[in-house]
Amino acid sequence: MGTTDIEVRRSRRRRRTVSAYREGNRTIVLIPARFTKAEEQHWVETMVERLAKGDRKRRPSDAQLKARAAELSQRHLGGLAKPSSIRWVTNQNSRWGSCTPADGTIRISTRVKGMPAYVLDYVILHELAHLVAPGHGPEFWSLLTSYPRLERARGYLEGVAATAGLELSDGAVEDGLGQAALDFGPSD
């Protein structure tokens, strides 16, 4: 997904195994040096498809996001949270997600794409909870207690934010536009 360049690296030490990974916008395919051009082409196609399949699993579409939100709402919020829309957005550079309770819209930052499923679930559930209890008061947090990986997901996001030199904050009630959000931003 989004890969524009493929680099094949041959290794004399590599005997039978083939592997591939992403490095920015580049796909790196590692193959044994003895492979023919035909074998190289076959394995490049195979490995690029395997990476794409993994990307599709880790990076759900907007429709899959909506289905996941409905499932999480049912399981953890008794079906009370019913967003009018939920979608990925690219313009949230200091938020993992945001919610506008007045119109029921939820936006999830594309920065969450590729994170473990339990982290994505937490971000979705966090924003769904705002549809039931705007702000971050005791009622809001009590809604999230049924999520078994709550602390683990928060810890993961805190780790990502710390690594990037950012601060994770979800204590603000609203941003002045009637939106509640799970934020991260420059640390002081």
Side-chain angles (χ1 to χ4, degrees):
M1 292 182 69
T3 301
T4 58
D5 191 20
I6 297 172
E7 178 182 333
V8 177
R9 295 182 185 167
R10 291 175 174 266
S11 169
R12 293 179 205 270
R13 297 173 74 192
R14 191 174 282 268
R15 297 284 178 231
R16 293 178 294 209
T17 62
V18 176
S19 60
Y21 61 92
R22 303 260 193 244
E23 191 174 84
N25 285 337
R26 176 183 285 168
T27 297
I28 310 297
V29 181
L30 307 169
I31 64 171
R34 65 175 176 75
F35 273 16
T36 65
K37 281 291 183 188
E39 288 173 314
E40 175 183 317
Q41 182 178 349
H42 164 77
W43 281 106
V44 165
E45 290 171 5
T46 299
M47 298 310 286
V48 166
E49 178 51 38
R50 283 184 187 170
L51 286 174
K53 185 177 181 181
D55 288 344
R56 287 189 296 271
K57 272 185 169 178
R58 286 186 304 278
R59 297 177 170 128
S61 67
D62 285 353
Q64 291 168 316
L65 207 54
K66 186 171 179 103
R68 188 68 186 145
E71 182 182 329
L72 288 166
S73 175
Q74 190 61 44
R75 186 180 317 147
H76 298 286
L77 303 172
L80 293 174
K82 295 179 180 160
S84 59
S85 71
I86 180 168
R87 61 189 171 88
W88 294 107
V89 294
T90 58
N91 64 347
Q92 289 190 352
N93 296 321
S94 63
R95 294 180 172 178
W96 302 116
S98 63
C99 172
T100 306
D103 65 8
T105 59
I106 293 175
R107 291 149 312 278
I108 306 295
S109 172
T110 55
R111 295 176 68 132
V112 179
K113 281 187 173 186
M115 289 185 183
Y118 73 91
V119 175
L120 173 59
D121 284 353
Y122 165 69
V123 173
I124 293 170
L125 189 58
H126 182 105
E127 301 309 332
L128 286 170
H130 284 303
L131 295 176
V132 179
H136 291 97
E139 180 187 2
F140 170 83
W141 289 109
S142 71
L143 292 170
L144 296 177
T145 59
S146 70
Y147 186 59
R149 293 184 164 183
L150 174 72
E151 291 304 318
R152 185 175 181 193
R154 286 183 51 77
Y156 184 97
L157 292 173
E158 287 171 1
V160 170
T163 300
L166 304 169
E167 182 180 324
L168 181 64
S169 167
D170 53 12
V173 175
E174 291 186 348
D175 68 1
L177 301 172
Q179 296 179 348
L182 181 58
D183 296 339
F184 61 96
S187 58
D188 296 330

